[in-house]
Amino acid sequence: MRPIRKGVKAGMSNKGNQWTACLLAGLLLTTALQGTALAAEQKGEQAEKIQQEITQVDKELQDTLQTMQDLEAELTAGMKEKEKMKGEIAALEQRIEKHREKLKERVKVMYEKGDVSFWEVLFQATDFSDFLERLQMLSMIVEQDQELIDQLRADQEQLKVTKAKLDAQQKARRAKQEELRKTEQDLQAKAKNLKGDLAEALAAPAEDQMVVEQAYQNYTGPQFIQSVAGNGSYAWPVPSSFAISSGYGMRGSEFHKGIDISAPIGTPFVAVADGVVVQAGSASGYGHWIVIDHGGGVTSVYGHMYGNGIYVSTGQTVRQGQVIGATGNDGYSTGPHLHLSMQSGGGYVNPLAFLQ
Ligand SMILES: [Zn+2]
């Protein structure tokens, strides 16, 4: 962080006291900034570590959910398979029952009541050997019936064994599912805790930032003249006033993205550096504004003017120190002042770090 030095610029009475006040403010601010920079760095590292842990836990969670999904599919398939087997076992039972009935009927007819066709078959024998052949054939029919029943019974037994295996498999799957549910819950809880830690780690530097901004607010009242050394090469925008009525940083619940330099309505202000006007006209919140692009990703924004306080137009090239407008009291503003914002590298920066 760039060290900030404060000094008296010009045209002030009671210089000694103000110098002391500014110096004190500068020292306090420098200490606060250094402390905050260190704390912010440590917290940044901590946040990064937590973020890595979150990524890891999220990955584990994704893997667990994927495994659970696969298992769910296996359980569903297993259930369908079981239903199919149950149906097959029942169908086999029906077939066995049917063949048993048939056999029972046949045997009853053959040996108890006497079956006409059975005796007919035998009596139609042409000789004794033919008779024996026919008798054998008839008992073979009975035998085949029995064999078929035995075969069906064996198939059914086999199916029952397979189904029992499947039952055991399904039971193991359900146990695994229960285990995965617990793992998932643990991981969710872990992720939630880590996200809480991260939010805390990220929120803390903002609190520190507020302390620094508060230091600005406390020690840069309008009675003090501000000057920032550093590498600032940009011109002070209001040559006739150095009074900052509101600093860069937290202001109540919102972040003030610039500095307010109080000056009576109609006070001329200048471009802080060479550049090209990219906006000049009305803007929401600013009343009217001018935006200058200085190249290298640096832009300056001047706000709260009246429409007739804009002396430049879009596309115009301006020089550092050139008068570009006059202060007003337009837009969300509490008193006549020039609002100055500066952007660098795509974000707002404290303009004091850029100004001479
Ligand atoms: Zn402002």
Side-chain angles (χ1 to χ4, degrees):
M1 188 159 292
R2 181 180 308 172
I4 294 173
R5 177 170 63 77
K6 287 170 192 293
V8 176
K9 195 132 188 170
M12 295 294 293
S13 61
N14 205 2
K15 276 181 185 173
N17 286 343
Q18 280 157 9
W19 174 248
T20 309
C22 287
L23 196 66
L24 181 65
L27 280 172
L28 283 169
L29 201 54
T30 306
T31 312
L33 288 170
Q34 280 168 349
T36 302
L38 189 66
E41 195 180 318
Q42 282 169 348
K43 274 163 183 159
E45 280 169 17
Q46 196 190 345
E48 203 176 312
K49 235 175 92 186
I50 296 169
Q51 187 56 61
Q52 279 170 1
E53 279 179 62
I54 289 173
T55 308
Q56 181 58 33
V57 170
D58 275 347
K59 197 191 163 293
E60 281 173 39
L61 202 54
Q62 286 311 311
D63 289 350
T64 306
L65 289 172
Q66 184 59 53
T67 311
M68 280 175 84
Q69 209 177 327
D70 293 348
L71 197 62
E72 195 75 41
E74 280 175 30
L75 271 163
T76 308
M79 245 154 68
K80 276 184 189 160
E81 184 69 19
K82 255 177 77 177
E83 282 309 305
K84 206 179 126 200
M85 280 181 183
K86 264 192 209 166
E88 282 172 16
I89 289 168
L92 278 171
E93 191 62 46
Q94 271 188 351
R95 280 180 69 192
I96 290 166
E97 222 26 66
K98 220 171 102 189
H99 282 283
R100 220 188 238 152
E101 280 302 315
K102 222 165 110 185
L103 183 63
K104 225 161 82 186
E105 196 58 34
R106 206 183 322 261
V107 171
K108 215 158 102 188
V109 167
M110 276 162 72
Y111 296 108
E112 289 172 10
K113 291 187 179 167
D115 181 354
V116 176
S117 62
F118 176 77
W119 295 117
E120 262 174 14
V121 170
L122 288 181
F123 284 133
Q124 277 165 8
T126 49
D127 51 29
F128 187 64
S129 81
D130 185 35
F131 173 82
L132 282 181
E133 216 170 279
R134 281 166 188 258
L135 186 63
Q136 198 182 5
M137 190 191 74
L138 287 169
S139 44
M140 258 173 67
I141 290 169
V142 172
E143 220 170 277
Q144 273 170 6
D145 277 346
Q146 188 56 54
E147 264 172 26
L148 179 63
I149 288 168
D150 289 347
Q151 186 55 52
L152 289 170
R153 183 61 73 198
D155 287 352
Q156 198 190 36
E157 283 310 312
Q158 184 57 48
L159 211 52
K160 278 179 183 169
V161 169
T162 312
K163 186 176 165 286
K165 273 188 199 160
L166 187 59
D167 282 341
Q169 224 175 357
Q170 289 286 85
K171 204 178 155 193
R173 279 175 186 148
R174 272 193 288 272
K176 177 86 182 155
Q177 195 180 39
E178 202 47 51
E179 204 179 289
L180 285 168
R181 273 196 195 120
K182 269 173 114 179
T183 306
E184 191 215 341
Q185 276 172 4
D186 289 350
L187 286 169
Q188 295 279 22
K190 212 165 151 187
K192 198 181 160 196
N193 283 340
L194 282 170
K195 276 164 195 171
D197 290 349
L198 182 65
E200 219 171 276
L202 290 175
E207 278 172 27
D208 290 343
Q209 189 66 27
M210 273 175 75
V211 171
V212 175
E213 299 305 342
Q214 200 52 55
Y216 268 119
Q217 303 285 339
N218 291 346
Y219 294 104
T220 62
Q223 71 271 36
F224 296 129
I225 286 166
Q226 295 294 319
S227 178
V228 178
N231 298 326
S233 59
Y234 287 69
W236 187 257
V238 188
S240 65
S241 171
F242 300 96
I244 295 175
S245 55
S246 186
Y248 178 85
M250 290 307 295
R251 190 166 64 180
S253 63
E254 53 176 286
F255 197 84
H256 186 222
K257 294 174 200 153
I259 55 170
D260 292 344
I261 301 160
S262 61
I265 290 171
T267 305
F269 60 86
V270 301
V272 294
D274 294 353
V276 177
V277 177
V278 290
Q279 297 277 352
S282 59
S284 75
Y286 286 105
H288 287 76
W289 71 345
I290 296 170
V291 182
I292 299 175
D293 185 352
H294 302 293
V298 179
T299 56
S300 55
V301 180
Y302 312 77
H304 296 318
M305 295 83 75
Y306 292 122
N308 61 8
I310 297 176
Y311 302 157
V312 291
S313 50
T314 306
Q316 188 180 332
T317 302
V318 292
R319 309 294 304 171
Q320 185 178 53
Q322 180 182 336
V323 174
I324 55 171
T327 55
N329 192 19
D330 204 3
Y332 305 140
S333 169
T334 47
H337 71 266
L338 173 76
H339 169 97
L340 174 74
S341 274
M342 291 198 72
Q343 287 192 307
S344 177
Y348 284 100
V349 292
N350 189 339
L352 292 182
F354 277 80
L355 301 173
Q356 283 171 352

